[in-house]
Amino acid sequence: MSSSASPRPFVYDGDRLVCSGVDVAALADEFGTPLYVYSADAVRERVAMIANGFAGVDHTICYAVKANSALGLLKRLGALGCGFDIVSGGELERVRRAAPEAVSRVVFSGVGKQAWEMDAALEAGILQFNVESEAELELLAERAQALGKTARVALRVNPDVFAETHPYISTGMSEHKFGIAIARARQVYARAAQLEGIEPTGVSVHIGSQIRSVEPFAAALQRVRELVEELRKDGINLRNVDAGGGFGIEYGTAAFDPAASVQQYAKALRSVLEGFDAHLLLEPGRFIIAQAGALVTRVLYTKQNGAKRFVIADAAMNDLIRPALYKAHHEIVPVLLDASRPASKADIVGPVCESGDFFAQDRETAELRSGDLVALLDAGAYGMSLASHYNTRVHPAEVLIEDGKTVLIRRRETLDDLFVAELY
């Protein structure tokens, strides 16, 4: 496997897995396991792909912080000129600490913004609030007036567009909790235009995550364009069109050309925006970081229970919950190849006391033995950001490979770290 043929920075150099040229086994020996490994080079490449796809279009890439909120990653994305899509006051604080120069490029999404979060974002001077309900709009107006600020807002409209993805990450249908019905949007914008402390600046839409077809994105954006044109006739001159995120990747072994996929996505959106004067906001997360990262884990034990073989690793569902939560697929590859190993089918599981603590079921790999290192690929998105301390387990370390050098961006937690906030 060569790096030029792979959409991932994790490739084999002889019989050793490397990430952007750095030996993964050596990283595991130095930093221990479980260990998250990311390639900053791959992240830069993905950002450049999106920028190239939308060259000539007035746009801002607002990275979705929820995908992976590591400060070391946000710092580098801010330096690349990215803005950020946030969904909490905590994520705002992460951007403020890691990339303060990018706060003015922040859009604040989410259905349950609290008053203190609104206050923090107003004081910070973010680009835009993506408002998801009429009650939220009223509270935002109150907070803006109290602080003597103006809140720039877009309504997140629900276009009722079906996108084929996991039901937990589909967000654009009328039965979902997100957004405001597009049919009601003109009335809500009229109210927003009357509210002191509110400045309508855009429209936002987000139909879901891990969507591989470009047609739903184009259909949703077409409805948004029509809405903006109607609102402009009403005298509400909106500038920003937030197309959301959700463009997917390939988690399996099927061919995937990320650059070509971005071009198809960009072509679909460009066709809708042709002749339309607006500033386009894009909110990619998974596409930028998922394939740039892997979770490296060491096999603790193997066992046979009846007809079932189990491979028990030192990583668990608290480190990477996607397989347990979504039945998500992650390729699992040995860090060191051994051609003498026969193929073997097993459940690859963690130590957590739940039957749902698995990374793969009945997965065929080269036979895995105690002490072996394996990498769970495409784990850069929704890995650490969904991690927990379940079973009082510490978080893994995170390292970033940048220009051939290894940067520790999160040390491994200690047990003492877990008890800092507790009183007894």
Side-chain angles (χ1 to χ4, degrees), residues 21 96 108 125 128 132 138 197 230 387:
R96 194 188 66 79
F108 194 167
Q128 181 172 279
E132 302 214 22
E138 298 291 337
E230 290 175 352

Side-chain angles (χ1 to χ4, degrees), residues 21-323:
V22 174
D23 187 273
V24 173
L27 294 174
D29 289 341
E30 180 177 359
F31 297 102
T33 57
L35 176 68
Y36 272 102
V37 180
Y38 311 112
S39 168
D41 304 334
V43 168
R44 283 198 303 266
E45 289 174 5
R46 291 295 173 96
V47 171
M49 285 177 194
I50 298 169
N52 290 338
F54 289 92
V57 175
D58 184 14
H59 74 280
T60 300
I61 299 169
C62 294
Y63 168 77
V65 174
K66 62 182 174 289
N68 186 319
S69 60
L71 296 178
L73 175 64
L74 302 185
K75 177 181 178 179
R76 287 157 176 83
L77 286 165
L80 292 173
C82 290
F84 296 97
D85 166 48
I86 65 167
V87 293
S88 74
E91 288 188 349
L92 173 61
E93 182 62 14
R94 283 186 169 272
V95 173
R96 194 188 66 79
R97 294 189 183 204
E101 76 284 0
V103 168
S104 62
R105 302 192 294 269
V106 164
V107 294
F108 194 167
S109 305
V111 299
K113 303 179 190 72
Q114 298 179 62
W116 74 266
E117 295 174 308
M118 293 176 178
D119 290 355
L122 286 163
E123 294 285 8
I126 68 168
L127 175 64
Q128 181 172 279
F129 291 85
N130 289 346
V131 170
E132 302 214 22
S133 68
E134 294 172 66
E136 179 191 330
L137 178 65
E138 298 291 337
L139 177 59
L140 181 58
E142 288 179 18
R143 298 316 307 157
Q145 291 168 39
L147 296 175
K149 302 285 186 179
T150 297
R152 293 177 289 272
V153 304
L155 298 187
R156 176 173 172 177
V157 297
N158 189 323
D160 208 21
V161 168
F162 174 73
E164 188 172 346
T165 187
H166 191 284
Y168 287 5
I169 51 177
S170 176
T171 63
M173 298 297 289
S174 58
E175 65 267 23
H176 295 144
K177 70 178 181 180
F178 301 96
I180 294 168
I182 197 166
R184 182 163 174 71
R186 287 177 75 180
Q187 293 172 270
V188 182
Y189 271 107
R191 172 61 177 161
Q194 296 171 351
L195 286 171
E196 183 182 345
I198 297 293
E199 179 189 355
T201 54
V203 179
S204 170
V205 67
H206 179 71
I207 58 174
S209 187
Q210 185 50 16
I211 300 167
R212 295 293 303 277
S213 170
V214 300
E215 286 78 13
F217 295 110
L221 193 58
Q222 179 62 43
R223 295 184 186 183
V224 167
R225 174 175 177 165
E226 291 168 0
L227 173 62
V228 172
E229 289 172 338
E230 290 175 352
L231 290 167
R232 286 176 176 174
K233 292 176 183 176
D234 294 342
I236 300 173
N237 295 308
L238 304 180
R239 175 65 185 157
N240 298 330
V241 170
D242 187 338
F247 190 60
I249 63 162
E250 172 56 51
Y251 279 98
T253 58
F256 178 62
D257 183 338
S261 296
V262 167
Q263 289 296 328
Q264 293 170 4
Y265 172 68
K267 182 180 179 181
L269 268 58
R270 281 173 172 273
S271 67
V272 175
L273 296 173
E274 187 174 356
F276 185 58
D277 181 25
H279 180 77
L280 179 65
L281 301 176
L282 301 163
E283 299 174 359
R286 184 193 313 266
F287 181 81
I288 288 175
I289 188 60
Q291 294 186 305
L295 175 60
V296 181
T297 180
R298 193 178 294 275
V299 176
L300 297 173
Y301 311 105
T302 64
K303 63 184 289 187
Q304 193 80 28
N305 271 356
K308 272 276 191 182
R309 183 170 185 267
F310 292 90
V311 172
I312 303 163
D314 63 4
M317 65 186 289
N318 72 291
D319 304 306
L320 179 65
I321 200 173
R322 295 189 72 254

Side-chain angles (χ1 to χ4, degrees), residues 408-420:
L408 178 67
I409 60 171
R410 178 196 282 265
R411 65 168 173 80
R412 186 174 307 281
E413 285 181 335
T414 67
L415 287 177
D416 284 342
D417 292 327
L418 301 190
F419 302 118
V420 167

Side-chain angles (χ1 to χ4, degrees), residues 348-392:
I348 301 172
V349 304
V352 159
C353 292
E354 299 279 350
S355 295
D357 179 27
F358 61 84
F359 296 124
Q361 295 176 307
D362 294 321
R363 180 74 62 86
E364 186 170 289
T365 66
E367 184 182 65
L368 296 174
R369 301 172 186 171
S370 178
D372 286 348
L373 290 167
V374 295
L376 284 74
L377 301 181
D378 307 329
Y382 305 104
M384 270 298 288
S385 63
L386 281 171
S388 76
H389 291 121
Y390 188 44
N391 283 194
T392 309

